[in-house]
Amino acid sequence: MPDVPQIQDTVALDGDGHVIAEARHRAVDFLTRVQAEHGLPVSARAMDLTQLVVSELVTNARKYAPGPVLMELRIIGAVVEVVVWDSDPVLPVARASDAGRVGQHGLEIVMAVAQGFEAQREPVGKRITARIALPDDPGGDITGRRPQQQPALTVGLTAFPDDLP
């Protein structure tokens, strides 16, 4: 739609573990601006899930790819896209569910809460995109999709350890 302004924010993230908190803060600031300046509805669920997805994707990029990470947040219709680029060309693969496994559930979580997910190789590295519906689904499905055979995952976030005083 050519008359609709593109709403986006891009940030290069380089450095230590504080970039993960910085990325979450940028996501909150972006969605807050989307509400205030453009009047788009952003549910508390969308705000929380966007922070969770940003945290998981940026954490994985910092953990597995050398060099900087680029994060882009953009609004497409009633969806926020979280796009993370890194320098590692290896595409992530969700592992089989294993309640006994400690850690390495990030991609499983992202795929469970996102309305859409894709991973693509780029000339240098890869690009991961997750889509999250901004308004609440009237049917109560947190992902904006029809319920599948397995129960939906409900996630609520209030604070992250590195955000606390």
Side-chain angles (χ1 to χ4, degrees):
M1 299 192 304
D3 293 340
V4 177
Q6 189 165 5
I7 307 168
Q8 69 180 40
D9 184 28
T10 304
V11 61
L13 301 165
D14 196 12
D16 58 19
H18 290 102
V19 298
I20 299 161
E22 176 189 345
R24 282 194 304 270
H25 291 297
R26 286 290 287 257
V28 169
D29 291 346
F30 175 73
L31 291 178
T32 300
R33 281 194 330 272
V34 163
Q35 283 184 296
E37 296 173 11
H38 300 279
L40 293 174
V42 177
S43 68
R45 174 207 46 82
M47 189 73 77
D48 288 347
L49 291 180
T50 300
Q51 289 181 79
L52 174 64
V53 167
V54 162
S55 185
E56 294 297 339
L57 294 181
V58 171
T59 296
N60 285 349
R62 295 296 303 145
K63 185 174 181 180
Y64 298 111
V69 173
L70 185 66
M71 179 181 76
E72 182 177 358
L73 302 165
R74 57 185 174 219
I75 302 299
I76 308 231
V79 170
V80 60
E81 284 191 342
V82 176
V83 184
V84 176
W85 283 273
D86 68 44
S87 61
D88 185 0
V90 177
L91 297 178
V93 178
R95 298 173 68 181
S97 294
D98 179 357
R101 185 175 69 232
V102 176
Q104 298 185 346
H105 294 278
L107 190 57
E108 292 172 56
I109 292 168
V110 169
M111 293 175 80
V113 301
Q115 185 176 6
F117 175 87
E118 62 187 76
Q120 297 177 304
R121 281 196 180 88
E122 293 292 325
V124 175
K126 68 180 166 295
R127 175 179 60 192
I128 308 295
T129 304
R131 294 172 191 85
I132 301 157
L134 292 173
D136 282 330
D137 185 326
D141 180 22
I142 65 167
T143 64
R145 296 179 292 200
R146 291 181 168 220
Q148 297 176 355
Q149 299 293 354
Q150 46 190 306
L153 171 66
T154 304
V155 179
L157 303 176
T158 54
F160 291 89
D162 55 343
D163 294 337
L164 298 174

mmCIF file of all heavy atoms in Angstrom, residues 9 18 40 48 75 99-100 114 127 133 155:
data_model
loop_
_atom_site.group_PDB
_atom_site.id
_atom_site.type_symbol
_atom_site.label_atom_id
_atom_site.label_comp_id
_atom_site.label_asym_id
_atom_site.label_seq_id
_atom_site.Cartn_x
_atom_site.Cartn_y
_atom_site.Cartn_z
ATOM 1 N N ASP A 9 12.094 0.672 12.883
ATOM 2 C CA ASP A 9 13.243 1.114 13.665
ATOM 3 C C ASP A 9 14.318 0.061 13.471
ATOM 4 O O ASP A 9 14.037 -1.137 13.537
ATOM 5 C CB ASP A 9 12.866 1.239 15.147
ATOM 6 C CG ASP A 9 13.998 1.779 16.002
ATOM 7 O OD1 ASP A 9 14.838 2.535 15.483
ATOM 8 O OD2 ASP A 9 14.037 1.441 17.200
ATOM 9 N N HIS A 18 24.729 -6.671 27.601
ATOM 10 C CA HIS A 18 23.776 -5.579 27.795
ATOM 11 C C HIS A 18 22.997 -5.254 26.533
ATOM 12 O O HIS A 18 21.976 -4.591 26.598
ATOM 13 C CB HIS A 18 24.489 -4.327 28.316
ATOM 14 C CG HIS A 18 24.963 -4.488 29.728
ATOM 15 N ND1 HIS A 18 26.282 -4.753 30.018
ATOM 16 C CD2 HIS A 18 24.294 -4.451 30.901
ATOM 17 C CE1 HIS A 18 26.398 -4.864 31.338
ATOM 18 N NE2 HIS A 18 25.210 -4.694 31.885
ATOM 19 N N LEU A 40 -2.037 3.035 16.517
ATOM 20 C CA LEU A 40 -2.267 1.602 16.321
ATOM 21 C C LEU A 40 -2.403 0.906 17.665
ATOM 22 O O LEU A 40 -1.640 1.185 18.595
ATOM 23 C CB LEU A 40 -1.116 0.980 15.538
ATOM 24 C CG LEU A 40 -0.976 1.432 14.093
ATOM 25 C CD1 LEU A 40 0.290 0.857 13.474
ATOM 26 C CD2 LEU A 40 -2.183 1.028 13.278
ATOM 27 N N ASP A 48 4.504 -7.782 25.608
ATOM 28 C CA ASP A 48 5.273 -8.808 26.326
ATOM 29 C C ASP A 48 5.907 -9.818 25.372
ATOM 30 O O ASP A 48 7.081 -10.162 25.507
ATOM 31 C CB ASP A 48 4.381 -9.554 27.319
ATOM 32 C CG ASP A 48 3.995 -8.727 28.534
ATOM 33 O OD1 ASP A 48 4.600 -7.658 28.744
ATOM 34 O OD2 ASP A 48 3.083 -9.154 29.262
ATOM 35 N N ILE A 75 6.291 -2.380 11.411
ATOM 36 C CA ILE A 75 4.860 -2.642 11.467
ATOM 37 C C ILE A 75 4.380 -2.918 10.056
ATOM 38 O O ILE A 75 4.622 -2.134 9.139
ATOM 39 C CB ILE A 75 4.090 -1.430 12.056
ATOM 40 C CG1 ILE A 75 4.588 -1.095 13.455
ATOM 41 C CG2 ILE A 75 2.584 -1.690 12.028
ATOM 42 C CD1 ILE A 75 4.415 -2.193 14.487
ATOM 43 N N ALA A 99 11.312 -31.976 28.040
ATOM 44 C CA ALA A 99 11.127 -31.296 29.325
ATOM 45 C C ALA A 99 12.351 -31.436 30.224
ATOM 46 O O ALA A 99 12.578 -30.610 31.104
ATOM 47 C CB ALA A 99 9.892 -31.846 30.035
ATOM 48 N N GLY A 100 13.175 -32.434 30.003
ATOM 49 C CA GLY A 100 14.355 -32.636 30.830
ATOM 50 C C GLY A 100 15.567 -31.826 30.380
ATOM 51 O O GLY A 100 16.547 -31.725 31.099
ATOM 52 N N ALA A 114 4.885 -16.854 18.093
ATOM 53 C CA ALA A 114 4.848 -15.990 16.911
ATOM 54 C C ALA A 114 3.732 -16.408 15.965
ATOM 55 O O ALA A 114 3.419 -17.583 15.830
ATOM 56 C CB ALA A 114 6.188 -16.039 16.189
ATOM 57 N N ARG A 127 19.031 -14.126 8.209
ATOM 58 C CA ARG A 127 18.008 -13.215 8.706
ATOM 59 C C ARG A 127 16.873 -14.057 9.285
ATOM 60 O O ARG A 127 16.361 -14.956 8.622
ATOM 61 C CB ARG A 127 17.484 -12.340 7.558
ATOM 62 C CG ARG A 127 16.339 -11.441 7.976
ATOM 63 C CD ARG A 127 15.877 -10.585 6.837
ATOM 64 N NE ARG A 127 15.426 -11.452 5.743
ATOM 65 C CZ ARG A 127 15.171 -11.012 4.524
ATOM 66 N NH1 ARG A 127 15.344 -9.762 4.218
ATOM 67 N NH2 ARG A 127 14.747 -11.841 3.606
ATOM 68 N N ALA A 133 1.099 -10.563 16.249
ATOM 69 C CA ALA A 133 -0.107 -9.753 16.078
ATOM 70 C C ALA A 133 -0.155 -8.684 17.168
ATOM 71 O O ALA A 133 0.108 -8.973 18.338
ATOM 72 C CB ALA A 133 -1.349 -10.630 16.133
ATOM 73 N N VAL A 155 2.554 -16.893 28.021
ATOM 74 C CA VAL A 155 3.759 -16.303 28.581
ATOM 75 C C VAL A 155 3.414 -14.924 29.106
ATOM 76 O O VAL A 155 2.776 -14.139 28.430
ATOM 77 C CB VAL A 155 4.856 -16.178 27.502
ATOM 78 C CG1 VAL A 155 6.094 -15.538 28.080
ATOM 79 C CG2 VAL A 155 5.179 -17.538 26.917
#
